[in-house]
Every structure is written in structure tokens, then in C-alpha cells.
Amino acid sequence: MIKKCFHTTALVLLFNSTVTQAQLNFTGLDSLLSYAERNSSTIKICHQQSLLAKWTKVAAIANTVNFKSPVSFSATDNLQLPVNFLPAEAFGGPAGTFREVTLGQEYVSNFNFNPQLDIINPYNWAKVKSASVSKEMTEVSNQINKKTLFENIAAAYYNSIALQEQIILTEKSLSASDSIQQIVKNKFDLGIIREQDFNNALVNRLNIQDKLTQLKVMLQQQLNALKVLCDISPGTQITLQNNSTTELTDNNLKATGNLNSRYSTLQNQFAKSELRANRMVMMPVLSFFYYQGWQHNSNMAFFDSKSTWIRSNYIGLKITVPFPPDVTKMSQSYTSKINYNIAELNNSHSELQTELNNRSLELDYDKAISTYQTGKQIFDLKNNNYQKSIEQYKAGILSTDNLLIAFNDMVNSQLNVVAAFSSSQFIKSKISINNSLK
């Protein structure tokens, strides 16, 4: 029994360990986006919305004939048949008098089949166009949602990559600050410098240690954001790699995204089709109908075998004219006209806004490259200053404060280069996402 319990406990621990150690490794942004496209709830919801739009269009097409096939059956027991007064002279009685006569059958059964379909229904025909445009709007809306999701993932990804690089650099800076602290301590022990200088060196190391802690927390926050965006289990460990380590030289990158203007154009088309449909609602409808019925009458019982079923049928055409016009439908027509005018204005504005947004993305990318290239030059200069400062400090011709300033300037400029490179990569990926999703 003890052995069995031990094996059970071992299996549970192994299972928990396996769950805890679940890990996903992404070699680049593309692999992360591919995972999100397969697993993100946002993408799955978009698929469901596409299915809804598809079946709405199918329903609109089927409704063009407005097929109705009512089938009814009734079995009536006339407990007390109606009494009619007929002229008595028809039965040999005196003129001017009436005779009470009970007419009808006590047990009456009816089975009716009465299909009907529209041959010409302008309103339902016009609604097919609206449903078709609505389906396209859903597809474009899904692409917009996908673009937003991918942009958020790209932002979290490149932030994480930058933080990973900054953590590595800060750890190296922490090691360098230890060396500086030791150099300062040696001079302090020899009485060459003041205690304040030694304290400043200690504070400098504490600041770098705190910065390292903050960077690690920020990295975890970005990884958690990625888990939410990609619907990754909280217990899963994420490993990110960056396969874009080359220099940025594409200064003429063009942004051609047009999802918002496409959606606005479709909104305009939808408003136009709705206006046309609401005007068509006042037009007559031509319908075909058919009737097939069976009736069984008896004074004995339901479905009496001595009585037979009586059959009747007919066909015909029917024209339905909405007269007088429905005030509500007329109001909808006027409302549709106003909505169409608004959609036209929004469409014109959206086209202009899309063009300006594309130009802004291109300018942001040019600015990011410039910032990165300038940051590299600044780092080279700051690093050169630090290297000379550490030699001058060892030689006793530079103060501790100036050494720490040179060191921190070098560290911050190096971190800025990493952040600028990551920012330029994000904007480049953002342009790529906008260009690829049409």
C-alpha cells in the first residue's frame, strides 16, 4: 500500500513538473505571429464572425423568393350545429314562413397544403446586395482586428527583445561598477579620496542594481502581455530570439496599408444599398401560390370509413401593393438617405487619413533610423570618454564624480542604442503588417 501511494505521488509530481516546465521558443516575430494566428481567441472570434456573415448572405439570397409552405390539419367536433332559417315554401310549406334547418356535419377534418413564393420582390432582391457588402465589411473588419493584434504583439515582442539585451548590458555594467567600486575603495583605503567619493561609488552600484531589477520586472510584464495576446497558458515559459540583427539600411520603405479606407468605402456601399432597398419596399410584390386541400365530413365519428375525403386545389398569382404607405418604412428611407450622405463624407475623409497615416509611418521609420544611427555615434563617443576617464582616474588626474558621470553616460547611451534599434525594427514590422493585410 505504501509503495502504491509512493508511485501515485511520484506521478503527480512528475505531471506538475511537466506542466510547470512547459516552454515555447520563438525564433522571431514571424513565428510568434504564426502561433497567434493559430491560437489567439481574437482570430478565432473573427472566423466565427465570418461564418455569421456568410450565412446571413445565404439567408438573404434564399429570402428573394420568400418561400412559404404552410401545412395545417384540423379536426373539429361541432357539438351543436348552427340553425338556419330557410323559406318554408321550399319544403312545401306556406309562403312567407320559414323553417328551422340544421346544416353541416358534426365531425369535420381538414388537411391543407398552401405553398407560396415571390416571383418579383424588389426589396428582398436589394437586401442581397446589402448582405453581400456586409459580408465584405466583416472580412475587412476582421483584417483590421488582426492588424491591431499583430501590431500589439510586435510591440510587446520588440520591447521584450530590447529588455533582454538591456538586461545583458546592465549585468555587464554591474560587473564594471564593481570594478570601479574596488578601485575607489583602494584609493579610499590609502586616504587619497574622501569618504563621499566612496559612498558615491556605492550609490552608483546600487542604482545599477536597481535598474537591473526594474528591467527584469518590465521584461516579465511584456512576456505576460504576449501571453494574453497570443492566449498562452500563464505557466508556460516563453523564450524569444531576434533574427533581425542586421543593420537598418532600407530608408525608402513604403507604407501602402489601406484597410481603414477599404472599410469606409464598404460602409459607403452598404449605406447606398440600404437606401436602395428601403426605397424598394414601396414597390409591389408579385407572388405565386398553390392550394391543395382535403376535407372529411361525418355525423358518425372522426375519419368515418363510410365517408370519403373531398379534395380541392387551385393555383394563382397575387400582387401585393403596400397602400397606404407604411410611415415607419418611409421614415427608414429618409434615414437611409441621411446615413448615405454621412458615409460619403466619412469615406472621403478616410481616404485622406489613410494616405496621411502611411506617410506618418514612413516618417516614423526614417526618424527611428536616424535616432539609431545618432545613438551609435553618441555611444562610441561616450565609450571613448569612459575608457579615457578610467585611465585618468587611475592616474589620479580625474575626480570620482567625473568618472561616475562618464560611466553612467556610457551605460545609458548603450541602452539607448538598443532601445532605438528595437524601436526601428518595430516600426518596420508595423509597416510590413499594414502592407501585407489587405
Side-chain angles (χ1 to χ4, degrees):
M1 182 66 181
I2 295 176
K3 184 176 182 182
K4 182 178 180 180
C5 292
F6 174 79
H7 287 166
T8 303
T9 304
L11 288 174
V12 171
L13 291 175
L14 179 60
F15 174 78
N16 291 336
S17 177
T18 303
V19 173
T20 303
Q21 294 177 359
Q23 185 170 347
L24 290 174
N25 181 33
F26 298 103
T27 58
L29 178 60
D30 290 340
S31 64
L32 187 58
L33 295 181
S34 297
Y35 180 90
E37 194 160 11
R38 295 191 306 270
N39 298 278
S40 172
S41 58
T42 300
I43 302 298
K44 293 178 181 178
I45 291 173
C46 288
H47 290 329
Q48 297 302 314
Q49 290 174 337
S50 296
L51 289 176
L52 285 176
K54 173 186 175 182
W55 287 111
T56 300
K57 181 180 178 181
V58 171
I61 294 173
N63 200 41
T64 55
V65 295
N66 193 24
F67 180 69
K68 301 176 182 177
S69 180
V71 178
S72 64
F73 172 79
S74 65
T76 305
D77 183 355
N78 296 303
L79 298 176
Q80 186 173 353
L81 294 171
V83 176
N84 295 274
F85 293 89
L86 301 179
E89 59 184 326
F91 302 95
T97 62
F98 294 88
R99 181 177 177 180
E100 294 183 5
V101 178
T102 301
L103 299 177
Q105 301 285 313
E106 181 179 355
Y107 301 100
V108 180
S109 301
N110 288 285
F111 179 75
N112 301 317
F113 173 58
N114 186 23
Q116 175 181 311
L117 58 86
D118 294 342
I119 299 175
I120 300 176
N121 191 329
Y123 174 75
N124 287 348
W125 288 356
K127 292 298 287 184
V128 173
K129 176 63 176 177
S130 294
S132 179
V133 176
S134 179
K135 181 177 180 296
E136 292 184 57
M137 287 175 60
T138 300
E139 296 298 333
V140 175
S141 177
N142 289 341
Q143 289 293 85
I144 292 175
N145 292 335
K146 183 178 179 179
K147 176 180 77 71
T148 302
L149 173 66
F150 280 10
E151 287 177 350
N152 290 336
I153 290 175
Y157 168 77
Y158 283 115
N159 284 340
S160 300
I161 291 298
L163 289 169
Q164 288 180 169
E165 293 294 327
Q166 288 176 336
I167 287 173
I168 294 174
L169 294 175
T170 306
E171 287 175 343
K172 293 180 179 178
S173 299
L174 184 63
S175 177
S177 69
D178 289 337
S179 299
I180 292 176
Q181 180 182 336
Q182 187 60 45
I183 296 173
V184 173
K185 183 177 183 303
N186 292 338
K187 289 197 173 189
F188 175 67
D189 291 340
L190 295 174
I192 300 176
I193 61 174
R194 302 168 301 170
E195 183 178 0
Q196 294 95 314
D197 294 328
F198 178 63
N199 290 339
N200 287 336
L202 293 176
V203 170
N204 184 68
R205 186 192 184 283
L206 291 175
N207 286 333
I208 295 176
Q209 178 65 57
D210 180 66
K211 180 180 293 185
L212 179 61
T213 302
Q214 296 299 323
L215 289 173
K216 290 180 178 179
V217 171
M218 292 170 62
L219 174 60
Q220 191 58 50
Q221 290 174 336
Q222 291 299 316
L223 293 178
N224 289 340
L226 280 176
K227 290 180 181 180
V228 173
L229 292 169
C230 301
D231 284 78
I232 299 174
S233 173
T236 302
Q237 298 295 321
I238 298 178
T239 302
L240 300 178
Q241 300 177 18
N242 185 15
N243 53 11
S244 300
T245 57
T246 56
E247 295 295 328
L248 300 169
T249 57
D250 192 0
N251 294 335
N252 297 318
L253 191 62
K254 296 297 181 182
T256 59
N258 64 345
L259 282 178
N260 289 330
S261 63
R262 277 189 61 201
Y263 187 77
S264 181
T265 300
L266 289 172
Q267 281 184 315
N268 187 27
Q269 294 177 5
F270 179 78
K272 185 177 181 180
S273 63
E274 283 292 285
L275 173 61
R276 184 170 180 268
N278 287 324
R279 286 175 174 175
M280 292 290 185
V281 78
M282 304 298 178
M283 299 186 67
V285 177
L286 176 63
S287 305
F288 167 82
F289 60 87
Y290 171 81
Y291 175 84
Q292 179 77 51
W294 293 266
Q295 188 178 71
H296 185 277
N297 302 314
S298 174
N299 279 323
M300 302 297 294
F302 285 118
F303 316 120
D304 181 12
S305 60
K306 294 180 180 181
S307 301
T308 59
W309 286 88
I310 301 171
R311 178 182 175 185
S312 63
N313 67 338
Y314 56 84
I315 62 173
L317 295 175
K318 178 177 66 174
I319 296 179
T320 304
V321 180
F323 184 83
D326 190 331
V327 176
T328 301
K329 293 179 180 179
M330 291 180 64
S331 176
Q332 289 177 348
S333 178
Y334 293 130
T335 302
S336 298
K337 176 63 176 176
I338 296 173
N339 289 335
Y340 175 58
N341 292 335
I342 294 174
E344 279 193 317
L345 294 173
N346 287 335
N347 187 34
S348 300
H349 176 72
S350 179
E351 290 178 356
L352 174 63
Q353 186 176 18
T354 296
E355 182 67 22
L356 292 176
N357 287 342
N358 286 334
R359 299 292 80 78
S360 294
L361 278 176
E362 294 171 3
L363 292 174
D364 287 342
Y365 184 61
D366 293 339
K367 177 183 176 182
I369 291 180
S370 176
T371 300
Y372 169 65
Q373 292 173 343
T374 302
K376 284 181 59 181
Q377 295 175 0
I378 292 175
F379 168 70
D380 290 339
L381 294 173
K382 293 294 184 179
N383 186 48
N384 184 52
N385 287 346
Y386 168 68
Q387 297 300 330
K388 291 181 178 179
S389 295
I390 193 70
E391 295 299 326
Q392 291 173 357
Y393 184 76
K394 290 178 179 179
I397 57 176
L398 187 71
S399 68
T400 304
D401 290 341
N402 288 334
L403 172 63
L404 295 178
I405 291 173
F407 174 73
N408 288 322
D409 286 347
M410 182 274 296
V411 170
N412 291 332
S413 64
Q414 191 175 27
L415 296 179
N416 290 339
V417 170
V418 173
F421 182 73
S422 178
S423 176
S424 60
Q425 284 186 309
F426 165 64
I427 297 175
K428 184 176 181 179
S429 69
K430 189 174 180 180
I431 293 175
S432 177
I433 290 170
N434 277 263
N435 291 350
S436 61
L437 296 178
K438 300 293 185 180

